[in-house]
Amino acid sequence: MRKTLLIALIALLGELKSYAQDNSNLAATPPMGWNSWNIFQTKIDEPLLKQMVDAYVSSGMRDAGYTYFVLDDGWMSMERDQNGQLVADPKKFPNGMKEFADYVHSKGMKFGIYNCAGSKTCAGYPGTRGHEYEDARLYASWGVDYFKYDWCNTDSLNAKEAYKTMSDALKASGRPIVFSLCEWGGHNPWLWNGIGQLYRTTGDINVSFVKPVKHGTWEAQSVLSILDKQETIRQYNHPGHWNDPDMLEVGNGLTNTEDKAHFSLWCMMSAPLMAGNNLEKMSDQTKTILTNKDVIALDQDALGVQCFKVYSDNGLEAWAKPLSNGDWAICFLNRTAQSQNINYDWSQHAINDDISKTNADFTKATFKLHDLWTKKDVGTTKRAFKQALASHDVIVLRLVKG
Ligand code: GLA
């Protein structure tokens, strides 16, 4: 009798498992979207966000490949309701979250939302701890397609287990939901294969190009400090599993040159591209950067290999990224405060990457050089590439197989 019961139980568990959502193919290329945090923090509400949704379409962001519209911290009421359910703040979202999600979907985008593994979110709203499955079911009922899960107020929680529990809950919800882990890199989340699709690698980005910025107990990151951190873990980046160097600050106060460099480097890293600016008020320059299809194509390349440094001299660097059709992307970066002269003799700089098992020997193969920002052809790898590069600027070349 006991044996029969056991067999029935095992069969039932097998059945339940087969109903769990298979999310392994949800992010073959790095997710692209917009997130409310960098520009609005918790000051979000339905009218403002609907303007952002409309601007997402009218600005050309959606047509350039951005897909997700993500609400970060600050969308909830301060307490769960009497049944323990999360509720959207009725003052901010008088028509409820389902209506807002429907609005996002009606414009051809996917909808994302935020919570935190701890007892409260970083901004003090109700966290998920102990409510993983009911919250996941609620999000699925609203039509959530993307979920960012933060790491504040977690006390002694085991990080990997906490993220695994939420991952299982999302899979059990029956709706395909991209899982964005926002653990800031403290417990090496890039080693947790299969739990989600995006793995935050550092603390929060700041509107700063060179130097991290101190905020009492924590330090906000800069574009370059994040780039350097990510270089050390590039072997973990691959389709379906993306190192996440945080959301973009393009349009939020860096110089136009720095914005261009920031965006180019994120694309070279095959990073998730989550814009974080005011879409309605964005300048033409910002729009040109965020919607550069040739640079986005590097980010979205099917190989999904994160770039690596192939040259470094006094703050002038070259980063390389192999592409799926045999082309290469090379990004020259000037980290310094002065203009520098590039004089790059390709024949002296063969590329050999043990991690992606790719290589290029420019004494044997010739590539045409196409500048992805000026849109000009600028010679071939037969001759040295010579150009001045302004402070904090980049030149991004596509090396096209001849
Ligand atoms: C943390 C995250 C940020 C943002 C805020 C919200 O700092 O790292 O990306 O989500 O919380 O409070």
Side-chain angles (χ1 to χ4, degrees):
M1 180 63 185
R2 271 220 191 127
K3 204 171 159 197
T4 325
L5 263 178
L6 191 66
I7 292 169
L9 192 64
I10 290 169
L12 184 67
L13 283 175
E15 277 288 289
L16 285 177
K17 204 162 168 239
S18 65
Y19 285 124
Q21 181 65 41
D22 174 10
N23 285 349
S24 53
N25 292 323
L26 274 186
T29 59
M32 295 172 63
W34 179 88
N35 175 299
S36 54
W37 182 255
N38 281 356
I39 184 73
F40 297 124
Q41 290 85 50
T42 58
K43 290 181 247 45
I44 49 174
D45 60 25
E46 187 187 300
L48 173 77
L49 291 165
K50 283 189 172 168
Q51 283 173 25
M52 291 304 125
V53 172
D54 295 348
Y56 197 124
V57 179
S58 61
S59 63
M61 290 285 284
R62 185 192 64 187
D63 293 343
Y66 294 84
T67 307
Y68 296 96
F69 187 94
V70 182
L71 304 192
D72 208 283
D73 210 348
W75 61 266
M76 291 175 245
S77 285
M78 288 314 276
E79 302 291 340
R80 288 176 179 266
D81 71 10
Q82 66 275 24
N83 302 318
Q85 283 239 320
L86 292 171
V87 266
D89 182 334
K91 286 206 196 83
K92 291 179 172 175
F93 296 91
N95 297 301
M97 201 48 87
K98 173 81 171 69
E99 193 271 352
F100 185 74
D102 289 348
Y103 189 75
V104 173
H105 288 141
S106 76
K107 302 286 175 172
M109 276 96 75
K110 292 185 172 166
F111 179 58
I113 213 160
Y114 160 102
N115 208 322
C116 185
S119 52
K120 283 188 189 314
T121 71
C122 299
Y125 294 86
T128 304
R129 189 170 184 172
H131 296 274
E132 292 83 356
Y133 279 78
E134 65 198 272
D135 287 0
R137 279 195 297 274
L138 179 68
Y139 301 144
S141 77
W142 286 343
V144 166
D145 307 294
Y146 178 111
F147 181 60
K148 173 176 169 184
Y149 202 38
D150 214 340
W151 188 242
C152 276
N153 305 303
T154 43
D155 303 322
S156 57
L157 263 188
N158 175 298
K160 185 174 179 187
E161 278 173 19
Y163 280 93
K164 172 80 167 59
T165 304
M166 194 66 215
S167 170
D168 291 345
L170 292 172
K171 287 174 189 161
S173 77
R175 188 175 170 87
I177 299 178
V178 168
F179 190 27
S180 159
L181 287 73
C182 180
E183 184 273 349
W184 318 317
H187 299 86
N188 304 337
W190 40 86
L191 300 175
W192 307 342
N193 225 348
I195 289 187
Q197 287 74 39
L198 291 76
Y199 298 77
R200 257 285 285 281
T201 53
T202 68
D204 291 7
I205 193 169
N206 199 69
V207 185
S208 167
F209 192 75
V210 178
K211 287 208 173 111
V213 180
K214 283 239 179 280
H215 287 277
T217 55
W218 65 287
E219 200 172 56
Q221 300 298 308
S222 66
V223 168
L224 295 184
S225 70
I226 292 177
L227 174 72
D228 294 340
K229 165 72 193 183
Q230 280 232 163
E231 189 189 7
T232 65
I233 50 170
R234 59 174 287 261
Q235 65 269 34
Y236 302 109
N237 213 46
H238 58 80
H241 177 124
W242 304 106
N243 289 338
D244 177 2
D246 206 356
M247 304 171 291
L248 297 164
E249 291 284 18
V250 175
N252 287 346
L254 297 170
T255 67
N256 196 50
T257 300
E258 291 169 341
D259 270 349
K260 189 178 92 181
H262 171 23
F263 189 72
S264 302
L265 292 165
W266 262 230
C267 290
M268 289 293 291
M269 286 192 281
S270 268
L273 296 179
M274 303 301 288
N277 59 319
N278 185 330
L279 296 176
E280 216 193 15
K281 297 200 170 135
M282 83 172 137
S283 67
D284 286 345
Q285 287 175 320
T286 299
K287 200 183 299 176
T288 304
I289 292 172
L290 287 173
T291 60
N292 183 325
K293 289 193 177 172
D294 294 335
V295 179
I296 291 173
L298 307 181
D299 182 79
Q300 296 291 301
D301 184 79
L303 273 190
V305 174
Q306 190 182 308
C307 63
F308 45 96
K309 210 185 292 164
V310 289
Y311 172 83
S312 175
D313 184 26
N314 270 326
L316 178 63
E317 295 177 350
W319 294 73
K321 175 175 173 45
L323 301 171
S324 53
N325 69 346
D327 289 359
W328 285 83
I330 300 281
C331 176
F332 291 100
L333 164 68
N334 180 358
R335 303 171 80 109
T336 72
Q338 296 82 36
S339 172
Q340 299 224 38
N341 291 318
I342 305 170
N343 184 354
Y344 199 75
D345 181 351
W346 303 92
S347 68
Q348 304 293 309
H349 296 290
I351 303 174
N352 273 306
D353 180 34
D354 285 347
I355 288 171
S356 63
K357 310 270 180 277
T358 50
N359 55 71
D361 180 346
F362 301 109
T363 61
K364 298 208 174 93
T366 302
F367 293 76
K368 284 185 229 137
L369 308 178
H370 186 64
D371 184 321
L372 301 187
W373 286 108
T374 64
K375 314 278 181 202
K376 290 193 174 126
D377 293 326
V378 287
T380 75
T381 51
K382 275 203 168 121
R383 263 183 297 141
F385 180 72
K386 294 183 186 175
Q387 208 161 302
L389 187 58
S391 163
H392 299 178
D393 204 355
V394 289
I395 290 174
V396 184
L397 302 178
R398 185 164 182 132
L399 275 54
V400 181
K401 248 184 141 183

